Amino acid sequence: MKNRITELFSIKYPIIQGGMIWNSGWRLASAVSNAGGLGLIGAGSMYPEVLNEHIERCKAATQKPFGVNVPLLYPNIQEIIELILQHRVPIVFTSAGNPATHTARLKAAGITVVHVVSSTKFAKKAEAAGVDAIVAEGFEAGGHNGREESTTLTLIPSVRRATDLPLIAAGGIATGQGMLATMILGADGVQMGSRFVASQEGSGHQLFKDLVVKAGEGATELTLKELTPVRLLKNKFYQDLQGLYQSGASVEELRAHLGRARAKRGMFEGDLDEGELEIGQIASMIDEIKPAATIIEDIIAQYNEALGSLPPSFGLDQ
């Protein structure tokens, strides 16, 4: 498959693995890159020294392009940017912050920069900041999310109309059919997070992966809009949170209940009761933990099968 995304990243397939906190270490990133997609190390859950180790190990594990996902709201951002520059990481995905802050400096170092947005408003700001591509992430996505609640199938054509930049669809995509649907709507590629959580190489706890596979429809909800919107599995922590909402809790009380390291406790350490378990709505369609390479093979096979059933007038390259 050749299009603007495969050419931009020098990859075989326009499939990007989301840089998910506590789930996207060097093993997953290198496995995805070796299989023809673009693997991302999730820097949001890493201190600079930990990220340094993951970059070094990813370099040793793959000769293919890989990237680092950098949530701009996290502490130590300056140290993280310096590390990326020092290692000459070829691709950086930024999110949760102003893309104008670091884009010019990264691009001056020859780094391809992509920014994640949840609306056309932020897509235009990212384009003005000089990014090379945009990820438009819909309401269905797991983890931290936009406040607009625009679904992916609504967001993609809206952003496509607002910008000519290479466009990557994210949120609620875990199959080749979903990939094809977003590309018909104007995307040039897809970013998948939840599907790669349930991979053998994903760095999340096995208990968390098993719970993702068991999740059914309605198992997640977007909450904590007063702080930072996040989509969670409905475990005990979530239920306790809903109790606070029902009692009219203040923002300060919600923040105190959230505390620190909830996501690590749940996704990385396997506390399924008190941890924060971030996953997308598409978890209901994920029923098996597989190697990353097999996941990509399955997606491409599904995509080609679905594409073959379309009339030639669609004109999508195989």
PDB file of all heavy atoms in Angstrom, residues 7 16 24 27 31 49 52 65 89 92 157 164 166 202 208 211-212 231 252 261 263 271 279 290-291:
ATOM      1  N   GLU A   7       4.435   7.059   2.597  1.00  0.00           N
ATOM      2  CA  GLU A   7       5.592   7.794   2.086  1.00  0.00           C
ATOM      3  C   GLU A   7       6.169   8.740   3.127  1.00  0.00           C
ATOM      4  O   GLU A   7       7.390   8.894   3.241  1.00  0.00           O
ATOM      5  CB  GLU A   7       5.187   8.566   0.823  1.00  0.00           C
ATOM      6  CG  GLU A   7       4.876   7.637  -0.353  1.00  0.00           C
ATOM      7  CD  GLU A   7       4.426   8.392  -1.591  1.00  0.00           C
ATOM      8  OE1 GLU A   7       4.326   9.644  -1.516  1.00  0.00           O
ATOM      9  OE2 GLU A   7       4.169   7.742  -2.614  1.00  0.00           O
ATOM     10  N   ILE A  16      -0.614   3.027  12.321  1.00  0.00           N
ATOM     11  CA  ILE A  16       0.202   3.550  13.405  1.00  0.00           C
ATOM     12  C   ILE A  16      -0.314   2.981  14.712  1.00  0.00           C
ATOM     13  O   ILE A  16      -1.520   2.949  14.954  1.00  0.00           O
ATOM     14  CB  ILE A  16       0.157   5.094  13.439  1.00  0.00           C
ATOM     15  CG1 ILE A  16       0.839   5.668  12.202  1.00  0.00           C
ATOM     16  CG2 ILE A  16       0.836   5.633  14.685  1.00  0.00           C
ATOM     17  CD1 ILE A  16      -0.056   5.859  11.016  1.00  0.00           C
ATOM     18  N   SER A  24       2.804   1.047  25.854  1.00  0.00           N
ATOM     19  CA  SER A  24       3.550   1.190  24.602  1.00  0.00           C
ATOM     20  C   SER A  24       5.047   1.335  24.848  1.00  0.00           C
ATOM     21  O   SER A  24       5.622   2.403  24.656  1.00  0.00           O
ATOM     22  CB  SER A  24       3.044   2.409  23.821  1.00  0.00           C
ATOM     23  OG  SER A  24       1.664   2.308  23.603  1.00  0.00           O
ATOM     24  N   ARG A  27       9.206  -2.898  23.194  1.00  0.00           N
ATOM     25  CA  ARG A  27       8.889  -4.193  22.579  1.00  0.00           C
ATOM     26  C   ARG A  27       7.737  -4.064  21.594  1.00  0.00           C
ATOM     27  O   ARG A  27       7.785  -4.598  20.481  1.00  0.00           O
ATOM     28  CB  ARG A  27       8.555  -5.232  23.657  1.00  0.00           C
ATOM     29  CG  ARG A  27       9.740  -5.700  24.471  1.00  0.00           C
ATOM     30  CD  ARG A  27       9.351  -6.807  25.431  1.00  0.00           C
ATOM     31  NE  ARG A  27      10.498  -7.278  26.199  1.00  0.00           N
ATOM     32  CZ  ARG A  27      10.939  -6.719  27.320  1.00  0.00           C
ATOM     33  NH1 ARG A  27      10.296  -5.644  27.808  1.00  0.00           N
ATOM     34  NH2 ARG A  27      11.986  -7.191  27.956  1.00  0.00           N
ATOM     35  N   ALA A  31       8.048  -4.146  17.454  1.00  0.00           N
ATOM     36  CA  ALA A  31       7.311  -5.223  16.789  1.00  0.00           C
ATOM     37  C   ALA A  31       6.398  -4.676  15.697  1.00  0.00           C
ATOM     38  O   ALA A  31       6.301  -5.236  14.599  1.00  0.00           O
ATOM     39  CB  ALA A  31       6.506  -6.020  17.808  1.00  0.00           C
ATOM     40  N   GLU A  49      14.848   9.129  32.115  1.00  0.00           N
ATOM     41  CA  GLU A  49      15.817   8.032  32.092  1.00  0.00           C
ATOM     42  C   GLU A  49      15.196   6.729  31.592  1.00  0.00           C
ATOM     43  O   GLU A  49      15.860   5.913  30.948  1.00  0.00           O
ATOM     44  CB  GLU A  49      16.439   7.829  33.472  1.00  0.00           C
ATOM     45  CG  GLU A  49      15.464   7.478  34.585  1.00  0.00           C
ATOM     46  CD  GLU A  49      14.882   8.681  35.292  1.00  0.00           C
ATOM     47  OE1 GLU A  49      14.931   9.802  34.730  1.00  0.00           O
ATOM     48  OE2 GLU A  49      14.364   8.511  36.418  1.00  0.00           O
ATOM     49  N   ASN A  52      14.792   7.103  27.811  1.00  0.00           N
ATOM     50  CA  ASN A  52      16.108   6.921  27.203  1.00  0.00           C
ATOM     51  C   ASN A  52      16.394   5.446  26.954  1.00  0.00           C
ATOM     52  O   ASN A  52      16.848   5.053  25.875  1.00  0.00           O
ATOM     53  CB  ASN A  52      17.180   7.517  28.110  1.00  0.00           C
ATOM     54  CG  ASN A  52      18.563   7.451  27.485  1.00  0.00           C
ATOM     55  OD1 ASN A  52      18.847   8.116  26.509  1.00  0.00           O
ATOM     56  ND2 ASN A  52      19.425   6.619  28.061  1.00  0.00           N
ATOM     57  N   PRO A  65      11.619   2.651  10.724  1.00  0.00           N
ATOM     58  CA  PRO A  65      11.258   3.891  11.411  1.00  0.00           C
ATOM     59  C   PRO A  65      10.350   3.611  12.613  1.00  0.00           C
ATOM     60  O   PRO A  65       9.491   2.730  12.566  1.00  0.00           O
ATOM     61  CB  PRO A  65      10.506   4.688  10.342  1.00  0.00           C
ATOM     62  CG  PRO A  65      10.959   4.106   9.042  1.00  0.00           C
ATOM     63  CD  PRO A  65      11.207   2.656   9.306  1.00  0.00           C
ATOM     64  N   VAL A  89      15.449  10.698  17.089  1.00  0.00           N
ATOM     65  CA  VAL A  89      14.230   9.922  16.830  1.00  0.00           C
ATOM     66  C   VAL A  89      13.589  10.495  15.570  1.00  0.00           C
ATOM     67  O   VAL A  89      13.382  11.714  15.459  1.00  0.00           O
ATOM     68  CB  VAL A  89      13.262  10.016  18.026  1.00  0.00           C
ATOM     69  CG1 VAL A  89      11.935   9.337  17.698  1.00  0.00           C
ATOM     70  CG2 VAL A  89      13.893   9.386  19.267  1.00  0.00           C
ATOM     71  N   VAL A  92       7.923  12.165  15.748  1.00  0.00           N
ATOM     72  CA  VAL A  92       7.344  12.508  17.042  1.00  0.00           C
ATOM     73  C   VAL A  92       5.866  12.828  16.860  1.00  0.00           C
ATOM     74  O   VAL A  92       5.499  13.622  15.983  1.00  0.00           O
ATOM     75  CB  VAL A  92       8.069  13.714  17.681  1.00  0.00           C
ATOM     76  CG1 VAL A  92       7.301  14.215  18.903  1.00  0.00           C
ATOM     77  CG2 VAL A  92       9.493  13.329  18.082  1.00  0.00           C
ATOM     78  N   PRO A 157     -14.320  13.457   8.201  1.00  0.00           N
ATOM     79  CA  PRO A 157     -14.668  14.311   7.055  1.00  0.00           C
ATOM     80  C   PRO A 157     -14.621  15.802   7.383  1.00  0.00           C
ATOM     81  O   PRO A 157     -14.317  16.615   6.511  1.00  0.00           O
ATOM     82  CB  PRO A 157     -16.078  13.853   6.679  1.00  0.00           C
ATOM     83  CG  PRO A 157     -16.602  13.150   7.879  1.00  0.00           C
ATOM     84  CD  PRO A 157     -15.429  12.548   8.566  1.00  0.00           C
ATOM     85  N   ASP A 164      -5.549  20.135   4.190  1.00  0.00           N
ATOM     86  CA  ASP A 164      -5.058  19.222   3.162  1.00  0.00           C
ATOM     87  C   ASP A 164      -3.889  18.381   3.660  1.00  0.00           C
ATOM     88  O   ASP A 164      -3.325  17.590   2.894  1.00  0.00           O
ATOM     89  CB  ASP A 164      -4.607  20.013   1.921  1.00  0.00           C
ATOM     90  CG  ASP A 164      -5.780  20.632   1.174  1.00  0.00           C
ATOM     91  OD1 ASP A 164      -6.861  20.017   1.175  1.00  0.00           O
ATOM     92  OD2 ASP A 164      -5.606  21.733   0.618  1.00  0.00           O
ATOM     93  N   PRO A 166      -1.714  15.397   5.395  1.00  0.00           N
ATOM     94  CA  PRO A 166      -1.960  13.966   5.591  1.00  0.00           C
ATOM     95  C   PRO A 166      -2.731  13.744   6.891  1.00  0.00           C
ATOM     96  O   PRO A 166      -2.386  14.328   7.930  1.00  0.00           O
ATOM     97  CB  PRO A 166      -0.553  13.375   5.660  1.00  0.00           C
ATOM     98  CG  PRO A 166       0.281  14.317   4.851  1.00  0.00           C
ATOM     99  CD  PRO A 166      -0.293  15.681   5.116  1.00  0.00           C
ATOM    100  N   GLY A 202       2.549  -5.786  24.122  1.00  0.00           N
ATOM    101  CA  GLY A 202       2.112  -4.622  24.883  1.00  0.00           C
ATOM    102  C   GLY A 202       2.597  -4.706  26.325  1.00  0.00           C
ATOM    103  O   GLY A 202       2.615  -5.781  26.926  1.00  0.00           O
ATOM    104  N   PHE A 208      -4.959  -6.790  32.975  1.00  0.00           N
ATOM    105  CA  PHE A 208      -5.625  -5.719  32.230  1.00  0.00           C
ATOM    106  C   PHE A 208      -5.945  -6.174  30.816  1.00  0.00           C
ATOM    107  O   PHE A 208      -7.059  -5.975  30.315  1.00  0.00           O
ATOM    108  CB  PHE A 208      -4.742  -4.472  32.222  1.00  0.00           C
ATOM    109  CG  PHE A 208      -5.274  -3.345  31.378  1.00  0.00           C
ATOM    110  CD1 PHE A 208      -6.583  -2.907  31.504  1.00  0.00           C
ATOM    111  CD2 PHE A 208      -4.457  -2.709  30.455  1.00  0.00           C
ATOM    112  CE1 PHE A 208      -7.076  -1.861  30.729  1.00  0.00           C
ATOM    113  CE2 PHE A 208      -4.933  -1.667  29.671  1.00  0.00           C
ATOM    114  CZ  PHE A 208      -6.236  -1.244  29.811  1.00  0.00           C
ATOM    115  N   LEU A 211      -8.896  -8.433  30.805  1.00  0.00           N
ATOM    116  CA  LEU A 211     -10.151  -7.725  31.036  1.00  0.00           C
ATOM    117  C   LEU A 211     -10.610  -7.009  29.768  1.00  0.00           C
ATOM    118  O   LEU A 211     -11.813  -6.957  29.475  1.00  0.00           O
ATOM    119  CB  LEU A 211      -9.983  -6.719  32.178  1.00  0.00           C
ATOM    120  CG  LEU A 211     -11.273  -6.114  32.744  1.00  0.00           C
ATOM    121  CD1 LEU A 211     -12.159  -7.207  33.342  1.00  0.00           C
ATOM    122  CD2 LEU A 211     -10.956  -5.055  33.790  1.00  0.00           C
ATOM    123  N   VAL A 212      -9.672  -6.480  29.006  1.00  0.00           N
ATOM    124  CA  VAL A 212     -10.007  -5.827  27.736  1.00  0.00           C
ATOM    125  C   VAL A 212     -10.675  -6.826  26.789  1.00  0.00           C
ATOM    126  O   VAL A 212     -11.684  -6.528  26.147  1.00  0.00           O
ATOM    127  CB  VAL A 212      -8.737  -5.231  27.086  1.00  0.00           C
ATOM    128  CG1 VAL A 212      -9.017  -4.807  25.642  1.00  0.00           C
ATOM    129  CG2 VAL A 212      -8.231  -4.050  27.895  1.00  0.00           C
ATOM    130  N   ARG A 231     -11.576   8.033  28.845  1.00  0.00           N
ATOM    131  CA  ARG A 231     -12.486   6.900  28.692  1.00  0.00           C
ATOM    132  C   ARG A 231     -11.953   5.721  29.480  1.00  0.00           C
ATOM    133  O   ARG A 231     -10.803   5.314  29.312  1.00  0.00           O
ATOM    134  CB  ARG A 231     -12.662   6.510  27.215  1.00  0.00           C
ATOM    135  CG  ARG A 231     -13.651   5.352  27.023  1.00  0.00           C
ATOM    136  CD  ARG A 231     -13.967   5.114  25.564  1.00  0.00           C
ATOM    137  NE  ARG A 231     -14.710   6.213  24.985  1.00  0.00           N
ATOM    138  CZ  ARG A 231     -16.024   6.428  25.170  1.00  0.00           C
ATOM    139  NH1 ARG A 231     -16.729   5.597  25.933  1.00  0.00           N
ATOM    140  NH2 ARG A 231     -16.617   7.447  24.603  1.00  0.00           N
ATOM    141  N   GLU A 252     -12.282  19.774  43.224  1.00  0.00           N
ATOM    142  CA  GLU A 252     -11.200  19.428  44.145  1.00  0.00           C
ATOM    143  C   GLU A 252     -11.391  18.023  44.715  1.00  0.00           C
ATOM    144  O   GLU A 252     -10.417  17.265  44.876  1.00  0.00           O
ATOM    145  CB  GLU A 252     -11.129  20.446  45.295  1.00  0.00           C
ATOM    146  CG  GLU A 252     -10.638  21.825  44.880  1.00  0.00           C
ATOM    147  CD  GLU A 252     -11.683  22.608  44.075  1.00  0.00           C
ATOM    148  OE1 GLU A 252     -12.890  22.280  44.159  1.00  0.00           O
ATOM    149  OE2 GLU A 252     -11.269  23.531  43.338  1.00  0.00           O
ATOM    150  N   ALA A 261      -0.996   8.343  40.073  1.00  0.00           N
ATOM    151  CA  ALA A 261      -0.574   7.009  39.616  1.00  0.00           C
ATOM    152  C   ALA A 261      -1.720   6.010  39.494  1.00  0.00           C
ATOM    153  O   ALA A 261      -1.501   4.806  39.559  1.00  0.00           O
ATOM    154  CB  ALA A 261       0.510   6.454  40.523  1.00  0.00           C
ATOM    155  N   ALA A 263      -3.492   5.359  36.790  1.00  0.00           N
ATOM    156  CA  ALA A 263      -3.358   4.632  35.528  1.00  0.00           C
ATOM    157  C   ALA A 263      -2.276   3.561  35.637  1.00  0.00           C
ATOM    158  O   ALA A 263      -2.457   2.428  35.173  1.00  0.00           O
ATOM    159  CB  ALA A 263      -3.050   5.604  34.394  1.00  0.00           C
ATOM    160  N   ASP A 271      -4.072  -3.702  39.134  1.00  0.00           N
ATOM    161  CA  ASP A 271      -5.113  -3.528  40.145  1.00  0.00           C
ATOM    162  C   ASP A 271      -6.410  -3.190  39.420  1.00  0.00           C
ATOM    163  O   ASP A 271      -6.675  -2.039  39.080  1.00  0.00           O
ATOM    164  CB  ASP A 271      -4.728  -2.404  41.117  1.00  0.00           C
ATOM    165  CG  ASP A 271      -5.696  -2.284  42.290  1.00  0.00           C
ATOM    166  OD1 ASP A 271      -6.842  -2.766  42.164  1.00  0.00           O
ATOM    167  OD2 ASP A 271      -5.305  -1.708  43.323  1.00  0.00           O
ATOM    168  N   ILE A 279      -9.329   2.420  28.085  1.00  0.00           N
ATOM    169  CA  ILE A 279      -9.468   1.626  26.859  1.00  0.00           C
ATOM    170  C   ILE A 279     -10.619   2.203  26.041  1.00  0.00           C
ATOM    171  O   ILE A 279     -11.514   2.862  26.590  1.00  0.00           O
ATOM    172  CB  ILE A 279      -9.714   0.127  27.182  1.00  0.00           C
ATOM    173  CG1 ILE A 279      -9.308  -0.761  25.997  1.00  0.00           C
ATOM    174  CG2 ILE A 279     -11.156  -0.116  27.602  1.00  0.00           C
ATOM    175  CD1 ILE A 279      -7.812  -0.864  25.807  1.00  0.00           C
ATOM    176  N   LYS A 290      -2.962 -11.191  20.638  1.00  0.00           N
ATOM    177  CA  LYS A 290      -2.166 -11.739  19.544  1.00  0.00           C
ATOM    178  C   LYS A 290      -0.828 -11.014  19.447  1.00  0.00           C
ATOM    179  O   LYS A 290      -0.677  -9.896  19.943  1.00  0.00           O
ATOM    180  CB  LYS A 290      -2.904 -11.569  18.213  1.00  0.00           C
ATOM    181  CG  LYS A 290      -4.241 -12.280  18.112  1.00  0.00           C
ATOM    182  CD  LYS A 290      -4.858 -12.031  16.736  1.00  0.00           C
ATOM    183  CE  LYS A 290      -6.184 -12.760  16.564  1.00  0.00           C
ATOM    184  NZ  LYS A 290      -6.758 -12.537  15.212  1.00  0.00           N
ATOM    185  N   PRO A 291       0.147 -11.615  18.754  1.00  0.00           N
ATOM    186  CA  PRO A 291       1.375 -10.883  18.436  1.00  0.00           C
ATOM    187  C   PRO A 291       1.052  -9.672  17.563  1.00  0.00           C
ATOM    188  O   PRO A 291       0.126  -9.711  16.745  1.00  0.00           O
ATOM    189  CB  PRO A 291       2.226 -11.902  17.671  1.00  0.00           C
ATOM    190  CG  PRO A 291       1.653 -13.242  18.036  1.00  0.00           C
ATOM    191  CD  PRO A 291       0.191 -13.019  18.262  1.00  0.00           C
TER     192      PRO A 291
END
